[in-house]
């Protein structure tokens, strides 16, 4: 994040919105939330008095812009490209929609990692799939070493992925998330099947990403109508009919197991 000059009254508005850190001795107002867990909006700041300026970067009074006053976690988002010849590529517009949904639903800070190929060690040639469990282990190693404990990562791919489910050793899945853990993985290939249009594909992928990150943040499957944490149950209907966010019970649990905390500030540069 960048230090910057700005009028002091505009700066007050950003503090109120939770977008910059207040100087020592002045607390920034927390981002308001509605009952669905989505971030609300702060009111507009007034414009009293004569405007002033913050100091130059590196001088006293430097402002460091934060993404939000409080977050649940820092989440790295990374595309794992299918390295096989002719494989589909994940569209940047779709990745951007996933990023927006994660921020909006869970109040997490999302940071991007550069795309990288799926690890060969996770490939299962018999079914031409990648083992989702192995991908979770791999993803956890991709978090930068200087990040604090509690940092999460979510991977996106166009390749088919699978896990073990009951007697099925190689069960194809939309995604997989480590309950209360570090990593989650989403594949778009099955979510594209029988989709009406690109908008429905986007809805399915973003909902699945929210669902899997919900597991990582500590939410298990639930029975709340239209909650994003409903089990897919081997079909697509619950995903298509999802509200896109957690229901009241899951929201209450989320606040217990992954409460909002002050967001770490990135140094100005």
């Amino acid at each position: 994040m960048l230090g910057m000059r700005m009028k002091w009254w505009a700066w007050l508005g950003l503090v109120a919105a939770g977008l910059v850190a207040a100087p020592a001795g002045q607390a920034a107002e927390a981002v308001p939330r509605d009952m669905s867990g989505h971030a609300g909006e702060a009111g507009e700041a007034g414009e009293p008095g004569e405007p002033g300026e913050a100091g130059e970067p590196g001088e006293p009074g430097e402002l460091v812009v934060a993404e939000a006053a409080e977050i649940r976690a820092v989440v790295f988002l990374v595309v794992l490209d299918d390295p096989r010849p002719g494989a589909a590529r994940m569209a940047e517009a779709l990745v951007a929609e996933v990023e927006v949904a994660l921020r909006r639903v869970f109040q997490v800070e999302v940071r991007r990692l550069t795309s990288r190929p799926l690890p060969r060690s996770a490939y299962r040639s018999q079914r031409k799939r990648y083992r989702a469990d192995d991908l979770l282990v791999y993803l956890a190693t991709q978090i930068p070493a200087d990040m604090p404990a509690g940092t999460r990562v979510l991977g996106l791919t166009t390749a088919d992925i699978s896990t073990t489910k009951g007697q099925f050793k190689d069960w194809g899945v939309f995604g997989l998330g480590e309950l209360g853990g570090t990593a989650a993985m989403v594949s778009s290939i099955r979510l594209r099947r029988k989709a009406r249009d690109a908008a429905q594909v986007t809805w399915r992928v973003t909902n699945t990403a929210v669902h899997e990150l919900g597991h990582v943040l500590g939410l298990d499957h639930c029975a709340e109508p239209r909650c994003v944490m409903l089990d897919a149950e081997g079909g697509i209907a619950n995903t298509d009919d999802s509200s896109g966010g957690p229901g009241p019970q899951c929201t209450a649990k989320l606040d217990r197991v992954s409460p909002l905390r002050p967001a770490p500030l990135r140094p100005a540069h």
Side-chain angles (χ1 to χ4, degrees), residues 21 45 103 131 222-223 255 260:
R103 293 179 191 270
R131 185 74 176 174
C222 74
D255 285 337
L260 290 166

Side-chain angles (χ1 to χ4, degrees), residues 81-255:
D81 291 320
D82 188 340
R84 293 170 293 185
R89 291 288 178 262
M90 184 70 66
E92 168 56 29
L94 182 54
V95 181
E97 290 287 349
V98 169
E99 180 175 347
V100 168
L102 298 181
R103 293 179 191 270
R104 174 178 54 82
V105 176
F106 289 134
Q107 298 89 55
V108 293
E109 178 184 330
V110 180
R111 303 184 189 181
R112 296 280 198 99
L113 294 173
T114 56
S115 62
R116 56 210 63 195
L118 285 158
R120 185 173 220 164
S121 59
Y123 187 61
R124 300 295 182 267
S125 59
Q126 184 176 7
R127 303 291 295 274
K128 298 181 179 179
R129 293 172 173 168
Y130 286 82
R131 185 74 176 174
D133 309 73
D134 293 349
L135 294 178
L136 298 189
V137 174
Y138 169 76
L139 284 169
T141 69
Q142 303 305 295
I143 296 175
D146 61 349
M147 292 304 297
T151 301
R152 275 50 179 246
V153 59
L154 186 141
L156 300 172
T157 190
T158 60
D160 201 10
I161 62 175
S162 64
T163 189
T164 297
K165 184 175 182 178
Q167 63 180 344
F168 300 99
K169 301 300 183 183
D170 193 36
W171 180 264
V173 292
F174 301 149
L176 188 68
E178 183 183 10
L179 185 61
T182 300
M185 188 72 211
V186 173
S187 166
S188 66
I189 189 168
R190 294 172 180 270
L191 297 168
R192 293 182 177 277
R193 294 177 181 174
K194 298 183 179 180
R196 293 188 304 271
D197 50 29
Q200 188 172 44
V201 173
T202 298
W203 179 253
R204 289 174 173 180
V205 173
T206 55
N207 272 334
T208 303
V210 168
H211 177 99
E212 300 305 344
L213 184 61
H215 284 322
V216 174
L217 293 174
L219 297 180
D220 207 339
H221 290 144
C222 74
E224 291 190 79
R226 302 191 64 222
C227 177
V228 76
M229 296 311 299
L230 281 170
D231 190 351
E233 297 179 342
I236 197 64
N238 284 345
T239 303
D240 284 343
D241 192 48
S242 170
S243 68
Q249 294 177 37
C250 283
T251 297
K253 181 175 181 180
L254 181 67
D255 285 337

